[in-house]
Amino acid sequence: MRNLKVLKYSALTLISSAFFSMNSCSIDVIPQDRYVEESIWSDPSTIELYINGMYAEVKKFQFGVFPGLGYDNAMDALADGMKFTSNTPGNGTVNILISNANQFSPASVGLNYWSSAYERIRRVNEFIGGLKTKSQLSADDQVKYEAEARFIRAYTYFWLAKLHGSVIIFNDIAQYSTKDNPRSSEEAVYDFMIEDLDFAATNLPKSNKDGRAGKGAAYALQSRVALFAGSIAKNDKKQFNTDPLTGISQAKANAYFTKSAEAAQATIDLGLYELDADFQSIFTNKKTKEAILRVDFVAPTVTHQYDLGYAPPKDALGNALVYGVPTAELVNEFEMKDGSTFSWNNPDHAADPYANREPRFYASILYNGASWKGRTINTSIADVNEGFIQFGTQGDPKRTVTGYYAKKMLDPTNTNFVVNKSSQSWIELRYAEVYLNLAEAKAQLGEFAAASTALSTLRAKRSLPAASLPNLAKAMEVIEHERTVELAFEGHRFWDLRRWRKAHIELNGKRMTGHKITPEGTGFKYEVMPADASDRSFTGKLYYLPIPELEVQVNLGLTQIQGW
């Protein structure tokens, strides 16, 4: 996927920016000093550049980044599977946010995507309007490009909806002639996204280009969106917010779960994707068939710095930044090789805690004694460069505060990432998630045999025994576990806890932990240690984050979400 950075609202400036930031592209445009809108819409190559540039929205969230918050995997650090190591503003901003719910306010939203999202939505709407009124493309090509644009619009709205629930719907350029626009209901926002994705799935080609949406991406995203809507309809029950525009009618829950299941099954029925038996290679193999939509990088011109941020310190002679590390809570979730539950209370497990674990454990976690890049990882206190250090004892320790490092998505062949940077792809939509969505939606509909089949299909590819989901309570327990492990470090956990309305239970009044590992005789002693300096804070109020204060001030039709 090419990387295009766009700076202004207009289609003309968008195209101009795309030309100057695109790699290895030479297109002659007359006149040379400016871009005439009519020539843009008459030239298919510039239209292609326009829509290609729109995918920069997906890139904003690559590797679990949240725009403006900080670093890769910041979204996982908002939940319980990753701990950011720093306690200073900047590197440690995530830790500041999770420690005090009062950090969120209309004046300081904490997770602010509003203006960036609406800038993208406006560009998408301008593009669709130009297609219909100025383009000389064939009717078929117009529909195809509109489908792609509406996919991006739905993707953008989904982030807004996850944050605020009730937001402003813009679906036509004529709306921009009105300065003051009100919020729509949360239910209407989700219906709008689903409608866009229906159009996209119907009109996009079955086989998609690298980094571009096709039918599979539209169906997969729709499955995700509808699952969120169904979860909110079922779980919110207006417990946390009295705003009349937030929340979704409980009566619609099953309709959304049905839509999610249908979209997931439609993705599978395309026959384009496969679950990969080699879990670790999924995230470094650009040809993996698990990737439904991905962001590609090509060294040395288009790179990222994920390895620099997450590799163990000795990978870079002490120069690795180690933004975040896995918590003991996540590590303990990984099953034994035979599918049984790992437990520190089991003497055999505790004696050798990292032996005979499931394949995803070895692909996701660097633990004490792990083999990595031709050496053995030592996270015990005996290693002053890579070993455990208590959180808070240094401002930016740049080493593990839990006894673990994140292995998943690191490139084991990149031995000089300080100079070379990194080029593994970011997978935004992965086929495994489709099976997880299908299992959950079917379970919520009471179709437990179908849910068990979907989840067992995924587990079989992970060399684990089939799952039994006999009732809803058990099904959700197993599915939550499976999503935690399968999707670790991919930015899902925080948002899952929010849609299940469990974040105030799992992320409030608790401290995540790690393992202080001390050499003892011929083995090691594992001591549970807090990885947080204070209790975490997540109140029910945070399920609907405030709209930035400035937006309410300049838009007289926009009211703040009640409670803020």
Side-chain angles (χ1 to χ4, degrees), residues 326-337 342-344 346-371 376-381 388 400 402-405 407 513-518 523-529:
T327 63
E329 282 72 21
L330 173 63
V331 171
N332 294 344
E333 281 286 320
F334 289 91
E335 298 169 28
M336 302 302 291
K337 185 178 181 179
F342 170 83
S343 174
W344 285 95
N346 182 316
D348 291 335
H349 294 180
D352 197 358
Y354 312 128
N356 300 312
R357 302 291 287 271
E358 62 160 294
R360 289 178 298 192
F361 173 79
Y362 298 108
S364 302
I365 307 295
L366 287 173
Y367 54 90
N368 189 52
S371 177
T376 299
I377 295 290
N378 182 358
T379 61
S380 78
I381 60 172
F388 174 87
T400 182
T402 64
Y404 305 99
Y405 292 95
K407 180 179 181 181
T513 64
H515 290 120
K516 178 182 178 181
I517 304 170
T518 306
F524 296 92
K525 179 177 73 172
Y526 299 88
E527 182 181 358
V528 177
M529 298 291 289

Side-chain angles (χ1 to χ4, degrees), residues 387-403:
F388 174 87
I389 184 172
Q390 183 65 47
F391 174 74
T393 56
Q394 291 184 18
D396 288 291
K398 297 180 181 177
R399 54 195 268 212
T400 182
V401 296
T402 64

